[in-house]
Amino acid sequence: MTLNLLTAISPVDGRYRGKTELLADYFSEYALIRYRIRVEIEYFIALCELPLPQLATFPKELFPQLRAIYQQFDVAGAQRVKEIESVTNHDVKAVEYYIKEQFDKFSTADQPLSAFKEFIHFGLTSQDINNTSVPLSIKEALADVYVPQLEELVGQLRQYAEEWQAVPMLAKTHGQPASPTRLGKEVMVYVYRLSEQLESLRHCPLSAKFGGATGNLNAHHVAYPDYDWRTFANRFVSEKLGLQREQFTTQISNYDSLAAVFDAIRRINTIIIDLDRDFWMYISMEYFKQKINAGEVGSSAMPHKVNPIDFENSEGNLGIANALLQFLAQKLPVSRLQRDLTDSTVLRNVGVPVGHSVIAIQSTLKGLRKLILNEQKLQEDLENNWAVVAEAIQTILRREAYPQPYEALKALTRTNQKITAETIRDFIGTLQVSDAVKEELLAITPATYTGI
């Protein structure tokens, strides 16, 4: 661990850096600068392709070199942008000046590019760059990092659901023994829930604001009134950036689509919290043992302990993530009049809850992969709770029009006496039903009464 990790203020960039390092390419200061340069370059190229009269002679063979400015952008380049920012005291203007410096490198005596430089950031305001760069970074971070890790979690759960599909288990409703289920089915509940919400996340559009100082493309229109700038802006955002352009905005994004994305991730996180707590309880109930790693310490005082720390770590990180996601979803869509600056500093934190979510997913996976099924304990719990077949018996008796079957089973089972297989067998022997129905009832056990 390097000194930088040891001195990091946030555990996302410190203790958990190994789990979140991939996100640095999308949410770090370096990444934000690179995304801004990407948008500026693609916008300049789009103006050339329009083409504007003053850009008609720009050498198109230089487009690959222009794109290389962001494609090959490195930390040294980011440092240069920060040096420029130290003078401008404006982060987006620093990006503009940096790109102009790169233009100078392409210029030759035969091919001077200085005449084209003022079309970098032409007609734009800073938020046209920020409100395209950030949703683009979120879109790619979700596609490249978050969704694959979530899919890995769902895949592990699906594997367990199939592996344990025939394992009967006592259900607990209100913490009390209830109609038996199957372990695989209970795991499949989470496969289903996470898959549904992942699909919902995939359908959340990622939109961008791109419309000038107050969203009306004023500068573009006043300079070139004969151009259809709305169509140009729509095509630029969709074709060059793969985002949807917000048609009516103030100076900043409406942020409604980002809020929807944050809410979708929050729902996924809430499901994982539910999963973490269930498996924590199953371990407490001894339905699972945990793999033991040599040299690992469970408790600094109690040598015997193997704690479910991965599920606890996940739950804690998900709680932080959800608090931030809720704040972002509620705050970002609210801005005074045509804009205030509160979104600016808030927007820089969008990677933090994604980071905590990724930490949590990896912790949950680690916990799941430590599990050792203890079928003996599951069977013991079923055998010790014969009262749960009462529902099955009274339902068949209802079918047979037996008088007051629910009340009969209630009188039998709602006592402080332990209900055993013998108790149930003796009760069935007293019923005034056919021998065939008695045989049907006697075949029901806690291990077989598990539904479909």
Side-chain angles (χ1 to χ4, degrees), residues 93-321:
K93 202 66 178 176
V95 165
E96 177 188 339
Y97 288 169
Y98 174 81
I99 296 173
K100 287 179 177 179
E101 284 185 352
Q102 304 309 302
F103 264 53
D104 291 336
K105 296 178 182 179
F106 299 150
S107 294
T108 65
D110 298 328
Q111 201 173 51
L113 301 183
S114 58
F116 305 111
K117 290 200 299 185
E118 291 310 315
F119 285 89
I120 300 166
H121 200 71
F122 177 80
L124 301 182
T125 188
S126 299
Q127 288 308 105
D128 294 317
I129 303 303
N130 292 330
N131 288 160
T132 47
S133 297
V134 172
L136 184 56
S137 69
I138 292 173
K139 177 184 178 182
E140 294 183 348
L142 293 179
D144 298 343
V145 181
Y146 176 80
V147 169
Q149 292 197 21
L150 184 60
E151 288 176 332
E152 185 180 356
L153 174 59
V154 173
Q156 180 64 70
L157 291 168
R158 191 182 299 277
Q159 178 185 325
Y160 280 155
E162 294 171 358
E163 183 180 334
W164 300 331
Q165 62 179 330
V167 177
M169 181 180 80
L170 183 69
K172 294 287 183 71
T173 60
H174 307 278
Q176 305 301 308
S179 297
T181 183
R182 284 188 298 276
L183 178 57
K185 175 261 170 178
E186 297 308 315
V187 176
M188 196 64 196
V189 169
Y190 287 108
V191 174
Y192 172 73
R193 293 175 67 188
L194 290 171
S195 298
E196 289 287 298
Q197 294 309 312
L198 177 55
E199 194 64 19
S200 177
L201 173 62
R202 286 193 172 107
H203 282 88
C204 288
L206 274 158
S207 65
K209 179 266 175 180
F210 195 82
T214 54
N216 307 333
L217 294 161
N218 301 39
H220 294 77
H221 181 69
V222 75
Y224 297 96
D226 296 331
Y227 282 73
D228 184 355
W229 288 110
R230 180 178 295 167
T231 298
F232 168 84
N234 288 342
R235 291 186 61 184
F236 169 70
V237 171
S238 63
E239 295 177 10
K240 296 287 189 179
L241 306 180
L243 303 170
Q244 293 184 20
R245 179 173 173 267
E246 298 168 17
Q247 297 299 304
F248 297 93
T249 70
T250 59
Q251 186 176 91
I252 65 174
S253 169
N254 302 318
Y255 292 119
D256 299 323
S257 65
L258 277 192
V261 169
F262 297 146
D263 284 338
I265 296 174
R266 189 159 55 90
R267 288 195 299 273
I268 290 169
N269 286 351
T270 299
I271 294 169
I272 300 175
I273 289 174
D274 199 22
L275 182 155
D276 288 334
R277 292 179 180 177
D278 273 4
F279 276 96
W280 189 98
M281 290 292 293
Y282 291 145
I283 292 168
S284 176
M285 294 155 58
E286 298 182 4
Y287 286 3
F288 294 101
K289 298 181 183 297
Q290 298 178 91
K291 294 174 184 175
I292 299 172
N293 296 321
E296 191 173 275
V297 174
S299 166
S300 63
M302 294 170 280
H304 70 284
K305 297 195 75 178
V306 183
N307 297 326
I309 56 174
D310 300 301
F311 296 110
E312 294 169 343
N313 177 280
S314 174
E315 182 180 341
N317 275 285
L318 292 168
I320 295 172

Side-chain angles (χ1 to χ4, degrees), residues 4-6 8-18 20-21 24 359:
N4 286 340
L5 298 188
L6 288 171
I9 293 174
S10 168
V12 170
D13 278 325
R15 180 178 182 85
Y16 301 120
R17 179 69 176 186
T20 61
E21 192 166 8
I359 293 166

Side-chain angles (χ1 to χ4, degrees), residues 340-389:
D340 63 45
L341 200 65
T342 54
D343 67 311
S344 179
T345 189
V346 168
L347 207 58
R348 289 179 177 275
N349 289 277
V350 296
V352 178
V354 178
H356 283 289
S357 299
V358 164
I359 293 166
I361 290 170
Q362 292 180 42
S363 292
T364 297
L365 267 169
K366 186 178 179 183
L368 289 172
R369 288 166 177 166
K370 285 183 180 178
L371 297 178
I372 301 172
L373 181 61
N374 184 7
E375 284 196 69
Q376 180 181 345
K377 182 62 179 177
L378 273 78
Q379 292 165 2
E380 287 176 5
D381 270 8
L382 287 166
E383 189 61 30
N384 289 332
N385 285 279
W386 270 81
V388 297
V389 302

